[in-house]
Each structure stands twice: as C-alpha cells, then as structure tokens.
C-alpha cells in the first residue's frame, strides 16, 4: 500500500484525508452506505483514547454502564427540542422476530431519553444524587453526507449522563467534563483545542447550554471535537426525574450529558498528518516505536535480529509500545515509508554496523530526513526513547498551536473577516443575535464555533451589525 | 434494599436469581421487552471480565476492531445454515432518515457475514494470513423468553473472527480460544467448566464444529458459558474469502469465530451466590474489599475514619480494589448485609477498640459468621488481605468443583440417567445419533451439553439405545 504516492494536502486536503485513512488501514467503507468499519490499527488508536478518557472519568467518580440500543419511538417525542433535532435522523426497527412491531423502535441516536427513563425509576431521594454514569457504545444517525470518522451513520463514542440536586452542581459537572476533554486533547492528543460555549442555534437539541472543544485542522477548518451539555431540567421534566429533598419536598433533578466520539480520530489525522502520512502523538499511538532491521546476508539478518529483539525487550520492560517489523521480502526503504505513512512517532533503524558499534539510529517521524536522525547507544536505550517520545509529543503540540495562531485572525472589519475564514479562524466580536450568525453563515459558510471561555479582548462591536458585543467568538468553516 | 429478605435458593432458585440481580443493582429491565440495562455494579464486573479476556486475546496476537451493527438483509441469506438459524430472530430496520429503505437492514445477530464480506476484500495473499480480529460489542436476537443476563434481546459480548490458510491452523485457533475461555473461567471466575464438543443439533448455525465450556449452576442445571467454532470453509465459500497461495493458486480460507457474553455474569451469580446474596470471585469483583467503620460518638467517628482512610491507602497502593463505606445514617449491621448481598469477597470491620489495639477484623464473604472472621494487625495489612483474597478465590473454586462432582452421576442405566438429570449432570455414553439425543431431550428435558475433551471412561454402550458408543457426553437441563 505504501508504494503509491498520496495526494498532497495542498493539492486536495479532502482526498489526502480519505486516501490516508484507507491506506493506513484505519478504517474502511462498510456495505451499508455511510457506515464504517474501524480496522485494527484505527481501533487500537481509539482504545488508547478510550483508556485516557476512562481513567479521567473514573478519577472524578463516574462509573460505566450499558443502556439498550433500542428505544421506543415515543421516547424521542417527549422532549420538545430533542424530537425536532433527532426525528429526521432516525433508523427505525419495524419488524422483530418476523412480526411487525406494535410500536416501532429506534436505534438510539443518543441516550438521554432512555437514560432519563431509568433515572426517574432509580432516583428517589437526595441521598441517591449525584448519579454519575458513562457508557461506551455506538449510536446511529441517518446522515446523508458521510466521511470516514468525521460523519458516519453509526459512530462510536462515550456518552456521560449525570443527575444532580441543583443547577450549580449540574453546571459544575458540565464544566468539569469540558475541562477533562480539554486536558485530554492538549496533553494526550497534542491538539490545542479552544473550549467555549455554543450559540443557541448550534447547541444540542434539548440542552440549556452546550460547551465544546474546537480544533483547527491542517486546512484551517474547525472540527468540533467534544461537547458537554447542561440539560437544565428539560429531560427531568420530560421523564419525571424527581427526588425528595431534605425537607421532604419533591424536586426535579438537573441533568447533564457529554460526549466524545471517533470523530476525534479524524482530528488527530487532520491536525498532525503531513504529505507522507499520519503522525500520531506518542501518548496515543498504537505503536510508539517501530524497529526496522537492516541486513543483506543471512548472517547479518541473524545478528541484527538478535540485537533487535533485545532492544524490543528493553523497550517493552519500560512500558513502551513497540513493533519489531519482521516481515520478509520487503526492503528497509519500503518499511520506512510504510511506517511513516502509519504515523509511528519514532523509528529505530538497526543494521550490522550499528550492531557492531553497539548503537542504533533513532528517526523522528515529526522531523523528516537527517534533521530527525540521531545515533544513540543500545545501552540504556529505553530512557532515551522515552525522553524522545516526550519531545515529539511536545513538538507536535507546539507545531499545532503555532499553526492555529498563525491562522487565527482578529479581523478589524467584515472584509477582513471574510478573508480570515477562507483560511482559518476568525476571532471576532459578535452581538449574540441569531440573525447576524445566520447572515454570516449564509455569506461566508463560516459558523459560530464557540465563544471561548478565555476572553482577552474585552467588549467591542459586532463584526456583522456593529452593535455592541460583550464577547469575542470563533467563526470558521467546519467539518 | 438489603432490609427485605431474598427468596432462598431452595425455595425458588429462579426467583432468588431475579431478585438478587435487581437488588444488587447488577441490571434492570429496559422499557423494550426483553432488553436489559446493565447497571454500574454489573458493568464493573463485566469490565473486569473484559480485561481478563482481552489481555489473553492480545497475548495470542489478536487485535480488536469494530464492524457496523447494520447488515444488509441479503447477507444473512448467503450461508445456508446461518440463514436457517438466525432468520427467525432478526430485528429489521425498514426506515432510515424518514424514508423506507430499498433493502431492509438487520441489526447484527452475530457478525460472521459482515466480517466475511470485509475479509474477502482485505485478504489477497497467503502473506495476509492469519487475520486475527476480535470485537467487543452487542448483538440483537429476538428472543421470546428472556431473563436478565442469561437471555436478552440485546446482549453484550466479544466475538472473535479469524481467517487461516489451512484447516489445521483454523482448528488450532478454535481450540486455543476454547482453552483461553477455560483458563479464564477456572482461574479468574473460579468456575470449574467442562470443555467439550457440541452435537450437530446444538452447534452454531454455519459451523463445522462447535466447542463450548459448560458450567453447573447452583441448581444443578447447565449453562453454556462460551463457544468456539470451526467454521470450515462455509463462510469463505459464501463470501468468497480467498487467498493466493505460495504456488499462485487461489484457495478458500478457513475461518473461525468464538464468543463469550454477559451470560457469564449470570454464571458467576448462579455458581457462587448463596441465600445472603452474591459472592464474587476476588479476581473479578468490582470491589474486592469493603471497609465498614463502626462508631457511636462523633469523636469515635473521627478516629475510626482516620484509621479507615489509612487502611484504604495501604490497600490501594497494593492495587487492591477497595471501597470505604462512608454513607451516613446507616447502621454497621445494615452495611454488612448490603455488601454481603453485593458479594464483596472480604469485609474489613473497624471500630474504636480495633483502632486502639492497632487491629482490624477481616470477615470472609464465603464463610459466614464467626468462622470467617479474624482479627489482624493494621501493619502490613495489604499483604494479609491479598493472601486472604487468594484463599477466597481458591475456596470458591474448590467449593464449586465439589458441588459439580457431587451432582454429576455416571448412570448405569436410563433409569439412573433420568434421576441424575433431575438434580445435576449425567455423564453417559452416547452413540452419537441425533435420534437418541432428541428422544432423551423429549423424555427428560436434558440436552447433550458437550462431549468432554477429557475422556476417562473409554468406550461403552449408549445410555439410550445401548448400541456401542465411543465416548461419554454430558447431559443436563440447561439455561
């Protein structure tokens, strides 16, 4: 697969992305239109994402559970905004066990309704609160325009659902989970996301407030990479989730939900990848290191493989995820390209001369050519590799941050705004009116991504209507 | 929940099971008939099962992936036995995005077909083999008589799917995975399973050979607890999974599949539980230890909690999963009962006298009353607890093994056979004819569970027709 050239990102970013996801064997198209198969290499990346998030969820008191994928159709209708948002996207089961069902069932597009139904039953008293549950599953939304990882009929995600006694606690939970997503994105995925609040027109169907993390892709477009919703009492009222407070009075609960999906895999591809292929952040890479043995004769092969296996042992003992490429009949050059395409952060090259000298060559994926190569001793190699991986992790973050900064403009006027969203983000004052937001979208294809939590600009004038605007917002074209 | 008495197992085993699963908050009924919600405590147990298996799968070279839950209806029809087995059980999606679909889709009842379709595309040459993939997901089968964990419309499981160049390799894989299930059941779940081969009438729809592990529940009935199938070339031919061999000739692959599901949670409940509730094997228990503080005055509470937290720290540092019960307004007695019902293997009781003496009381869940209690020093408690947990693990296995032995009869004649399957397993010679098997089932409600791989009995005469029979088989009534 590594022998044909990829499209470059400059030529056709969308085509580069698609080819790369397929060739790196991250995912494949499924027989059902719009569905995807996540292949082992892609799933291994998702498993590492899963582990990094799950650890944070559990450390903050959440437990996982599993709610059914089949939901009575009538459940969706119970929350007024929810039904408007999700009805057009439903997959409906009408036949079960050979018979027409009395009530059609839908495959969950998200689980607020079925979980709300359960919470209403489980929660009786303030002693039962908070309820802090997450689930790892897949959901189905009948999307018309699909793209591997970014938008598929079925996608994989986690959805957290919590219930609280007060609005303040629900809001604190909503913000805590947003912070967790931000921390994960920055620290583990090396993606400098911007955390902020969505506009009313972009928020989740049924939420009072939606927060999101937004990332800039390699083509300057935005990708919403995780969301956290304060659902107020909307679902509590629709599903009668009540508790008896300390004074013996029934109160509606305050609920939240928050999710991060396999879209995030797409973000990693599009933020870090280059024209040679993927570049995976070391903390999430399925293989952090690949060892490529170099040899000509059978004698050399034996010597080199012996040394390679010892190096592998050293790295495994240090909890480094390492692959020794033992494939027969492929040149080292082919293997180099292949693993570069798959984005393994660090390559260990090992030939007879290296063995004789007790050295190996380390080649960093993020620095192509000579610049990224160093010869290091085989002794104590695990520590050097671990340190180099940390450097790569930091370098990827810095590069992505600089790219985002270079492509984020604070436009002085609407003319500059229009130019800014052609190539990146515009950070502009916005009056908050849905009307200005809609006009901007119509005229520039840029949407209001979020109102960043960190506001440095003070008040100003709306970039569209010039009325006074308390805050700046990020506008961009988006996936 | 712990204040009402459970039904006893002797009174009504089925009722005891249902009450226990609900009260221990392992699972709950979902709004859709036959579906279940796995609650956090049940899911935490399943997560530990998942981890114990996943480690073994990866150590034997398997990787996880994710295939879609929606399958074209026509896929199911491609393998002749598969369609017969699964057609009556399908959930069918006929509407998507508000429109009637041209081809109906089914929610996967299992994934041989869609994975077969993908393998046909991915596998070209002998170099691509073996393909060793597993997935953790849920499947839907339209069951009419359902029971929490044991048989539900949607259930959670893993399904492994592999493709090989030869029959021998496929058979070796099938047996390897059976061995892994056996090892997991014995070592981690403390369940002494019997590994064996299924009869033709009980094998998987589309398999050449099905192996299973069978366990005896606390009422003497059998539960099939995991299966491993040698699919021969049936799916390879149906889906055209071919490879080019070393001589440049196209060959069909040989495939396998193997699965273990949330049923296994039911097995753990029914093998180890007693009239007080669950007894969870320490290696899989969500909490291995619960610390229950005992105090009267506020002063005592402070002292006891300080000591309790220190003990918790010691246990956490030793990777022991521990819960400190800090709930207010509940008596120690209530808490004892509550955690006994939930099956926590070891309780640490800590009162003012214990604190003063530098001791704690350990109470084993598997030995009720004084017999299971010892007072030990707080110093070095982690090592004592770890050792005690190991003892509990072994004791549970021994008890289950003795129970199975005591309730397994080698009947001399059909009269003894009929008596044997009233209360447990009959290990009897069977001629291999489907006719005898069907008659036995009709007359005794006992099914042929498996022909154990370990055969000690030599040849003999069929328990039903008295013709010569090469092997002994396990017959039992089953869940």
């Amino acid at each position: 697969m590594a022998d044909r050239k990829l499209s470059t990102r400059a030529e056709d970013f969308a085509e580069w992305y698609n080819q790369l996801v397929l060739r790196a064997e991250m995912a494949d198209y499924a027989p059902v239109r719009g569905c995807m198969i996540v292949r082992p290499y892609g799933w291994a990346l998702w498993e590492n994402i899963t582990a990094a998030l799950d650890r944070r969820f559990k450390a903050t008191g959440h437990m996982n559970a599993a709610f059914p994928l089949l939901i009575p159709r009538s459940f969706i209708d119970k929350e007024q905004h929810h039904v408007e948002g999700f009805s057009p996207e439903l997959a409906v089961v009408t036949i079960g066990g050979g018979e027409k069902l009395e009530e059609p069932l839908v495959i969950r597009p998200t689980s607020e309704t079925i979980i709300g139904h359960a919470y209403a039953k489980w929660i009786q008293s303030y002693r039962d609160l908070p309820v802090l549950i997450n689930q790892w599953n897949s959901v189905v939304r009948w999307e018309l325009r699909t793209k591997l990882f970014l938008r598929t009929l079925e996608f994989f995600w986690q959805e957290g659902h919590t219930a609280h006694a007060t609005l303040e606690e629900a809001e604190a939970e909503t913000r805590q989970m947003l912070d967790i997503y931000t921390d994960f994105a920055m620290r583990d995925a090396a993606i400098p996301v911007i955390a902020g609040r969505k506009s009313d027109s972009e928020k989740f169907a049924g939420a009072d407030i939606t927060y999101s993390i937004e990332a800039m892709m390699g083509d300057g477009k935005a990708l919403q990479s995780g969301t956290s919703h304060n659902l107020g009492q909307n679902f509590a009222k629709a599903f009668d989730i009540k508790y008896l407070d300390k004074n013996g009075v029934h109160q509606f609960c305050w609920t939240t939900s928050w999710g991060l999906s396999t879209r995030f895999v797409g973000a990693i591809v599009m933020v870090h990848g280059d024209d040679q292929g993927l570049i995976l952040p070391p903390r999430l890479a399925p293989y952090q290191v690949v060892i490529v043995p170099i040899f000509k004769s059978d004698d050399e092969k034996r010597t080199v493989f012996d040394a390679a296996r010892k190096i592998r042992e050293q790295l495994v003992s240090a909890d480094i995820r390492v692959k020794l490429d033992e494939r027969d009949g492929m040149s080292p050059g082919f293997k180099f390209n292949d693993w570069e395409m798959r984005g393994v952060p660090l390559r260990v090259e090992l030939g007879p001369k290296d063995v004789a000298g007790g050295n190996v060559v380390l080649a960093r994926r993020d620095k192509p050519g000579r610049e990224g190569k160093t010869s290091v001793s085989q002794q104590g190699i695990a520590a050097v590799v671990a340190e180099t991986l940390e450097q790569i992790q930091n370098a990827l973050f810095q590069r992505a941050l600089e790219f985002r900064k270079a492509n984020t403009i604070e436009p002085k006027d609407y003319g500059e705004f229009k130019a800014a969203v052609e190539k990146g983000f515009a950070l502009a004052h916005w009056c908050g009116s849905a009307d200005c937001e809609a006009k901007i979208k119509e005229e520039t294809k840029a949407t209001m991504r979020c109102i960043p939590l960190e506001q440095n600009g003070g008040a100003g004038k709306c970039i569209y209507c010039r009325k006074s605007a308390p805050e700046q917002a990020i506008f961009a074209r988006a996936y």
Side-chain angles (χ1 to χ4, degrees), chain A residues 194 232 396:
Chain A
I194 297 171
L396 289 177

Side-chain angles (χ1 to χ4, degrees), chain A residues 324-336:
Chain A
L324 169 56
D325 189 342
E326 301 183 271
R327 287 178 291 179
D328 258 342
M330 291 171 187
S331 70
F334 177 91
K335 290 180 178 179
F336 290 1

Side-chain angles (χ1 to χ4, degrees), chain A residues 83-150:
Chain A
V83 60
E84 286 166 18
F86 286 106
S87 282
E89 297 186 352
L90 298 173
V92 188
V93 177
T94 57
I95 297 169
E99 308 214 340
K100 189 160 183 292
L101 302 179
E102 281 186 29
E103 182 184 358
L105 304 175
V106 303
I107 302 179
R108 62 183 161 219
T110 178
S111 302
E112 277 75 9
T113 60
I114 195 162
I115 292 180
H117 178 82
Y119 283 7
K121 188 171 158 192
W122 296 344
I123 297 168
Q124 307 294 330
S125 128
Y126 69 93
R127 288 178 191 277
D128 299 325
L129 296 174
V131 175
L132 306 172
I133 293 182
N134 176 61
Q135 74 175 333
W136 293 95
N137 60 356
S138 73
V139 293
V140 171
R141 299 176 187 176
W142 213 264
E143 302 281 358
L144 295 179
R145 295 174 55 191
T146 60
K147 205 168 159 75
L148 291 170
F149 288 117
L150 301 179

Side-chain angles (χ1 to χ4, degrees), chain A residues 357-464:
Chain A
N359 298 320
V360 301
V361 172
L362 301 185
R364 285 174 62 156
R365 176 63 183 86
D366 63 322
K367 291 187 180 177
R370 289 196 167 274
E371 193 205 349
K373 288 202 181 193
T374 44
S375 178
V376 305
S377 167
Q378 288 175 25
Q379 276 211 311
I381 189 171
V384 176
V385 164
E387 200 191 311
T388 310
L389 290 173
E390 203 50 33
Q391 286 166 4
I392 296 170
Q393 181 82 27
N394 294 334
L396 289 177
F397 180 80
Q398 281 308 322
R399 184 159 77 184
L401 182 61
E402 279 154 28
F403 181 82
R404 194 192 78 198
K405 283 184 178 167
N407 293 286
T408 301
I409 306 290
E410 295 191 47
K412 283 195 304 291
D413 54 36
Y414 194 51
E416 276 190 31
F417 179 96
K418 285 196 267 192
V421 298
E422 289 282 336
K423 61 184 277 262
F425 288 5
L427 176 62
H429 280 92
W430 169 54
C431 64
S433 105
D435 201 40
C436 289
E437 189 187 3
K439 291 270 170 52
I440 290 172
K441 185 173 176 182
E442 197 186 310
E443 293 168 17
T444 69
K445 293 184 199 146
T447 48
M448 207 297 270
R449 303 316 305 156
C450 71
I451 299 164
L453 298 181
E454 274 188 39
Q455 286 283 336
N456 308 314
K461 286 195 159 56
C462 176
I463 192 71
Y464 195 80

Side-chain angles (χ1 to χ4, degrees), chain A residues 166-207:
Chain A
T166 65
L167 168 61
E168 290 67 34
E169 284 174 53
E171 179 64 13
E173 168 78 7
T174 311
R175 292 291 293 271
Q176 170 182 259
M177 301 324 288
L178 183 73
D179 288 348
I180 282 178
Y181 290 149
T182 306
D183 184 67
F184 155 76
M186 302 263 207
R187 206 182 289 264
D188 291 320
I191 296 181
V193 292
I194 297 171
R197 207 170 73 243
K198 286 289 197 187
S199 65
D200 281 352
S201 65
E202 298 274 338
K203 74 185 184 189
F204 175 74

Side-chain angles (χ1 to χ4, degrees), chain A residues 347-358:
Chain A
R347 181 172 73 229
V348 172
E349 303 172 8
L350 188 65
K353 277 189 201 157
D354 303 304
V355 175

